[in-house]
Amino acid sequence: MTVKEAQSTATTPAPVAASSGGGRHRADLTPAGKGRSWDDVPRWQIYVPLGVYLLFTLVPFYWMLLFAFRPTGSTSLVPWPLTFEHFDKVWNERSFGIFFQNSLLVGLASMLMTTVVALAGGYALARFNFRIKRGFMLALLCSQFIPGALMLVPLFQIFANLRMINSLGSVIIAETVFQLPLTMILISGFIKNVPYSLEEAAWVDGCGRFRAFCAVVLPLLRPGLIAVGSFAFVHSWNHFLFALMFLSNQDKQTIPVGLATLMGADSVDLGALAAGGVVAALPVVIVFAFIQKWLVTGFSAGAVKG
């Protein structure tokens, strides 16, 4: 063997043994006598409970669609032939077009006011320390235990003195006040997860506190703001009690109150009631269909990290 061949043999690395688990199945790595891993759970154990849950969830919706699109007097379990007579009745004869506009105005205004006020309060709770901070947070939490029905009489007297009865503004203010505590707590959690050093860097670059908040913090809060704003809108859209107590004129009522008017003392028009339910549920379904990816991201952003 020459010197060159000896050097090449000495510098050539030995072949590396193939990884013992590279081509083996996950089940082969499970020690003998051990139970089945979570990945090996039979699919029927997952799909059967989900199927039962979907059955109890979707059957009421199908029943509502059946009565909404089925002709009057029909007993078929399939809505065929389709008819829109019930929708025409509730939209034109029962003034659901006006109810829809009122509910949309209340929902959007409540969502905007709740988000803006809670954003300011949540920033103060997240970034500033003051003496009554813990007491204020405790008061916000305790306010969630007070049912809205207990506040109807005081609120009615306040709005009567302000001459706001039969005004959508009274419902908007009441909805905003009752949604602020929880929304403020959630937004403060979102802001705490934004590094404070980002704001400090903006201050060094010459930004004021407000400009730094709008340029640095606010874009990072978009998933959380979409999540809390959507829930504020849905809560205002579906709320029945405030609209019933503060609005008596028919042209000021909202969809939940309009649905209650379809149920008479002696009879109930199931077709019209089902069509009204579809009209009431459609905006909520559309909202959650478009923002579902933001909900998980938003609420996970406010989670406490260990």
Side-chain angles (χ1 to χ4, degrees), residues 25-90:
H25 192 268
R26 183 184 296 270
D28 298 337
L29 300 178
T30 304
K34 296 290 185 179
R36 186 188 295 270
S37 63
W38 286 106
D39 294 338
D40 299 329
V41 174
R43 292 187 175 183
W44 66 268
Q45 295 185 8
I46 301 175
Y47 293 146
V48 169
L50 290 178
V52 174
Y53 173 75
L54 287 177
L55 183 66
F56 280 95
T57 304
L58 297 180
V59 165
F61 286 97
Y62 177 76
W63 205 252
M64 180 177 65
L65 294 174
L66 178 65
F67 278 94
F69 292 99
R70 190 174 65 180
T72 303
S74 175
T75 58
S76 174
L77 295 179
V78 178
W80 188 262
L82 294 177
T83 180
F84 294 93
E85 59 177 341
H86 303 303
F87 291 93
D88 180 71
K89 181 178 181 179
V90 299

Side-chain angles (χ1 to χ4, degrees), residues 96-150:
F96 257 66
I98 299 176
F99 299 159
F100 188 91
Q101 295 177 8
N102 294 336
S103 293
L104 189 63
L105 177 60
V106 170
L108 293 177
S110 301
M111 177 188 68
L112 182 61
M113 292 178 59
T114 301
T115 305
V116 171
V117 178
L119 190 61
Y123 183 84
L125 292 175
R127 292 295 192 242
F128 298 102
N129 293 319
F130 45 93
R131 292 183 179 179
I132 61 172
K133 181 177 180 179
R134 291 187 177 182
F136 184 73
M137 292 286 291
L138 182 62
L140 291 179
L141 292 174
C142 291
S143 65
Q144 300 302 299
F145 300 109
I146 302 176
L150 293 179

Side-chain angles (χ1 to χ4, degrees), residues 170-189:
S170 60
V171 181
I172 294 173
I173 293 175
E175 293 289 350
T176 302
V177 169
F178 273 85
Q179 296 181 74
L180 268 179
L182 181 60
T183 307
M184 194 178 299
I185 293 173
L186 291 175
I187 290 182
S188 67

Side-chain angles (χ1 to χ4, degrees), residues 214-225:
C214 294
V216 177
V217 180
L218 195 58
L220 300 177
L221 298 179
R222 184 172 59 177
L225 294 180

Side-chain angles (χ1 to χ4, degrees), residues 263-282:
M263 296 182 291
D266 300 327
S267 62
V268 178
D269 190 347
L270 293 179
L273 186 62
V278 173
V279 172
L282 189 60

